Amino acid sequence: AVVSLVAWASSGPAFAFGALALAAATFVWLGPRLTPLEMAGAPLAAVLLQVLLASLTMLALSSLSKSSRYVSILYAGIIFFTTAIYGVLYAITGSSSMSWLSPTESLAQVVDVIFRLTPRYMTPWQVSLIVIVGLIVVSISILERRVRGVEVVT
């Protein structure tokens, strides 16, 4: 009896989230109508993409140096520098078509498409997705070359 009570109580938030997603899918003010499956899948896909991009790039950078401070400054520098470069190009040209230069803006563009929102930049979302997938592939290739397997001797 106690086990079933604990199991039911621990699954309560999942049921609440599902009920909330079903209720939210019926409202028109959310923008384009999303099915309940899309309401659950879109946040999952967006979070998965963001976590993969951030964690793999940070892990690849950390495999290049032993100093954690250097790696964190390098990661923050890349994010801020690419965003600044895009901001300067946007100020000069007045066009958001160069948003693919910044991983932050590319990720925002793809997340907009995942949630069926109007993309906020003039860059095609496919280009932004190619940039994100390219960064993930480069990170994986760096990790493959830099990280060596360790043999455990028992």
Side-chain angles (χ1 to χ4, degrees), residues 16-132:
F17 178 74
L20 183 64
L22 285 172
T26 61
F27 291 116
V28 176
W29 56 268
L30 284 175
R33 287 188 161 257
L34 298 175
T35 64
L37 183 61
E38 291 170 332
M39 288 290 290
L44 183 64
V47 166
L48 182 67
L49 194 61
Q50 188 170 15
V51 166
L52 274 176
L53 180 64
S55 62
L56 286 177
T57 52
M58 181 62 96
L59 192 60
L61 288 174
S62 69
S63 73
L64 298 175
S65 174
K66 292 185 180 192
S67 171
S68 62
R69 288 184 186 149
Y70 176 73
V71 170
S72 61
I73 290 171
L74 185 62
Y75 181 77
I78 289 171
I79 296 298
F80 292 141
F81 182 72
T82 57
T83 303
I85 291 294
Y86 164 69
V88 168
L89 288 173
Y90 179 76
I92 291 171
T93 64
S95 171
S96 65
S97 62
M98 298 298 277
S99 67
W100 61 271
L101 289 172
S102 172
T104 308
E105 273 73 23
S106 294
L107 190 62
Q109 179 87 339
V110 173
V111 168
D112 285 348
V113 170
I114 289 173
F115 282 101
R116 288 189 179 180
L117 300 173
T118 304
R120 59 184 88 182
Y121 304 112
M122 290 174 47
T123 305
W125 68 269
Q126 294 91 345
V127 173
S128 297
L129 184 63
I130 288 171
V131 167
I132 292 170

